[in-house]
Amino acid sequence: MNTHEQDHGSHVHGTDLRGVGEFWGDESASVREALAWAVARMARESDPRTTARSASDLATDAGPTVVPAGIGSGEALRIFSDVLEPATRAQGHELNLAYIPAAPNRSAVAFDAVTGSANIFGGVWEAGAGGIHAENEVLAWLAGLLRWPDTAAGCFVSGGTTGNLSALVAARKRALRRRGARPAEGWTLVCTGGAHSSIISAAEVLDVAIAEVPVDSRGHMTGAALREVLERTPSAFAVVTSSGTTNTGIIDDLADVADACADHDVWMHVDGAYGGAALLAPSVRARFDGIERADSFIVDPHKWLFAPYDCCALLYRDAADARDAHSQHASYLDSIDREQPNPSDLALHLSRRVRGLPLWYGLATHGTDRYVEAIEKTLQTARDVATGIERIEHLGLLMTPELSVVMFDRPGWSEADYTRWCERLAHEGALLCVPTRWAGRTVLRVVFVNPDTSADVVLRILEETTR
Ligand SMILES: *Cc1c(COP(=O)(O)O)cnc(C)c1O
């Protein structure tokens, strides 16, 4: 590096990084370049083209980068910029409607960089009080939307999978405390076939059986069906109910489910990883009635609350059971003040970044009203696309959306036709959508989480490309 670059590199917005930690030397250039790249990336759009490449192609184009002498920050950033980042999918693009995408606002994305720069240990209050305080204000706002009492508390974990598992660990602990012993046949988790794959995973980790509740014709768990299962399953310790299934975006009959859970003294967990965000929306809030009696709840802000990966808000109506289940104890942890709201006491984690802060900053920047509008806007987009599909002769709407998942088919198409269509649009960068299965057959599904998505644009693409 020449002297000129060195001089220039010593200043990040006027800040001299020389002498901040001697061992690594002057890192001004690498810091400046990385942050400049981040700012430029946030200002850039990308198309929703399918971008994955084989590991061997990436290895050829990137070359070895983790080597004894290093390759230098400039070269590392060049490879990231030219080879690696382009081989990732644009999750936030308004025409990415595949799986459940993510459409964070730029304020939230930017604050992820800020959060990283502060390198806060967010596991215990003593180390991360200021950051945890801000996270807790967001969690309290969510608890308010759930209409939960002041005993509610929670923390942010990496994703719905960890959130669901952590809630179920607390549920089992409470069942053990209340009943005094594990049932001879082991514990049983109750859910429907519409429960997310992470619930099956959690049951395996917990080594518990699953009792499946048959759903109604539209896929909901109803109170009556749940009661039948609970009556013949005394080993049930928790019911996992959905406020927005991943495949169809439907909400179980939460009030009836809550009644059944109360009558059988079983923990009620609401998996709102995707759909929980719609608690904000007055137009659908009534569908969530009964959620105020749930014992635990999750929502992934990295899905429909405009925050970047990775972020799941996990809440307990009464955090005492969670503390009982999750607090880690050891001689080297004795000095932790357990009277404080330590996130590490509430989930399956100890070290953690303060990953709720990007959401906090987005909310603080735009205000909760704006978030309400953003959710309502995406709900309306889903409704408009559903209505539009009904009008397109060669397409069939399969159900009226309850939230922002729209399921439809193209009568006459085979499974291979669906796959070919999705792949063609992905390779052209026109729109991202993946087929799914519903009622035993292959169908199409689009998910709306981005307030910038235009129903007209989506409908035009759907109509023209499926003829
Ligand atoms: C996405 C999803 C999950 C899993 O969340 P991750 O953040 O991907 O781990 C769980 N439940 C539902 C309903 C989901 O949609």
Side-chain angles (χ1 to χ4, degrees), residues 100 159-161 164 196 198 244 246 271 273-274 300 302-303:
I100 294 176
T161 300
N164 283 331
H196 187 261
S198 60
T246 312
D271 181 356
Y274 147 69
D300 276 354
H302 67 217
K303 281 180 173 163

Side-chain angles (χ1 to χ4, degrees), residues 193-214:
H196 187 261
S197 52
S198 60
I199 301 300
I200 318 304
S201 225
E204 280 191 24
V205 172
L206 289 160
D207 192 21
V208 298
I210 291 182
E212 195 173 311
V213 180

